[in-house]
Amino acid sequence: MLGMIKNSLFGSVETWPWQILSKGGKGEVSYEERACEGGKFATVEVTDKPVDEALREAMPKVMKYVGGTNDKGIGMGMTVPISFAVFPSADGSLQKKLKVWFRIPNEFQSNPPAPSDDSIKIEDREGITVYSTQFGGYARATDYVAHAAQLRTTLEGTATCRSDFYFCTGYDPPMKPYGRRNEVWLVKSNE
C-alpha cells in the first residue's frame, strides 16, 4: 500500500487513452468530446449506500488490488482518471448505487492479475464517446450532480447523452490539497 501511495505521489501515472474529437461550451461551462479507449477494467459495485459512502467503501478495495493484493502480488501502478458510474433518478438525484471503473495499466491489459478480493471483477469494456467538463476541489456527490446538470443544459439541442448513468472522475490522490482535477463524463448516446 505504501508503494502505491509513493507511486501516485512521485511516480509516473498512466493516463487512460483518449482522443479529443471537439471542444465547445456555453456561458461558464466548457466541455470536450472525447473518444475513450476500451480495455480491461477492475470494477467494484456497491449498492444500498449513498454515493459518497459507497465510494469510501469501494476505493480502498481497488487501491489494494492495484497496489499488489492480487494473485501475482504485483503492484501495477496507477492509471487516471479513476472513474465511477452513478445512476441518476428522474429528479437528477443519485440512486444508492455506484460502480468504480479502474482501467488496468497497458502493461497488464493482456493478462491482468486476478483480484484476491471477490468483490473486484475484471471486465472488458468497449470504447466510449463522452462529453467531459472539468472542475476543482475535493468533489462530493452534490458537486458531480451539479456539474452533470450544467453540462446537460449546455449540450441541449446539440448532443444526445445517456440518461441512465454517467461517470464521475478524479485524477488526484486524496492527500493532494490543491490544484485538484475532477470531471463529469456524460456518455454519448448512439440513438
Side-chain angles (χ1 to χ4, degrees), residues 27-41:
E28 297 291 313
V29 180
S30 61
Y31 66 87
E32 293 179 344
E33 179 183 9
R34 299 177 184 160
C36 302
E37 281 188 18
K40 289 187 172 62
F41 290 76

Side-chain angles (χ1 to χ4, degrees), residues 136-159:
Y138 282 97
R140 299 182 51 81
T142 54
D143 301 311
Y144 288 113
V145 168
H147 286 278
Q150 290 172 348
L151 182 55
R152 275 194 201 284
T153 300
T154 300
L155 293 170
E156 268 178 17
T158 61

Side-chain angles (χ1 to χ4, degrees), residues 111-132:
N111 187 22
S116 301
D117 182 335
D118 290 342
S119 68
I120 299 173
K121 308 295 181 219
I122 303 300
E123 297 184 27
D124 274 309
R125 186 166 85 188
E126 296 293 318
I128 56 173
T129 300
V130 300
Y131 296 95
S132 172

Side-chain angles (χ1 to χ4, degrees), residues 1-150:
M1 188 72 154
L2 183 59
M4 181 207 54
I5 293 170
K6 180 181 170 217
N7 191 33
S8 68
L9 287 175
F10 308 110
S12 62
V13 176
E14 188 176 308
T15 301
W16 180 354
W18 68 62
Q19 177 183 1
I20 297 173
L21 303 176
S22 68
K23 294 183 179 191
K26 189 187 320 177
E28 297 291 313
V29 180
S30 61
Y31 66 87
E32 293 179 344
E33 179 183 9
R34 299 177 184 160
C36 302
E37 281 188 18
K40 289 187 172 62
F41 290 76
T43 66
V44 176
E45 192 166 340
V46 178
T47 57
D48 299 323
K49 293 185 179 176
V51 167
D52 291 331
E53 185 181 335
L55 194 57
R56 284 192 298 274
E57 179 180 317
M59 284 304 299
K61 293 178 179 190
V62 172
M63 294 296 101
K64 287 178 183 176
Y65 167 69
V66 170
T69 304
N70 53 59
D71 70 335
K72 297 177 184 171
I74 295 174
M76 293 181 276
M78 291 295 298
T79 59
V80 292
I82 299 281
S83 62
F84 56 100
V86 294
F87 304 86
S89 300
D91 66 359
S93 65
L94 300 179
Q95 297 177 33
K96 291 184 175 184
K97 174 182 176 180
L98 75 72
K99 186 172 188 176
V100 171
W101 293 84
F102 174 81
R103 189 173 192 282
I104 307 253
N106 286 332
E107 179 182 347
F108 300 95
Q109 275 288 313
S110 63
N111 187 22
S116 301
D117 182 335
D118 290 342
S119 68
I120 299 173
K121 308 295 181 219
I122 303 300
E123 297 184 27
D124 274 309
R125 186 166 85 188
E126 296 293 318
I128 56 173
T129 300
V130 300
Y131 296 95
S132 172
T133 191
Q134 183 177 323
F135 62 98
Y138 282 97
R140 299 182 51 81
T142 54
D143 301 311
Y144 288 113
V145 168
H147 286 278
Q150 290 172 348

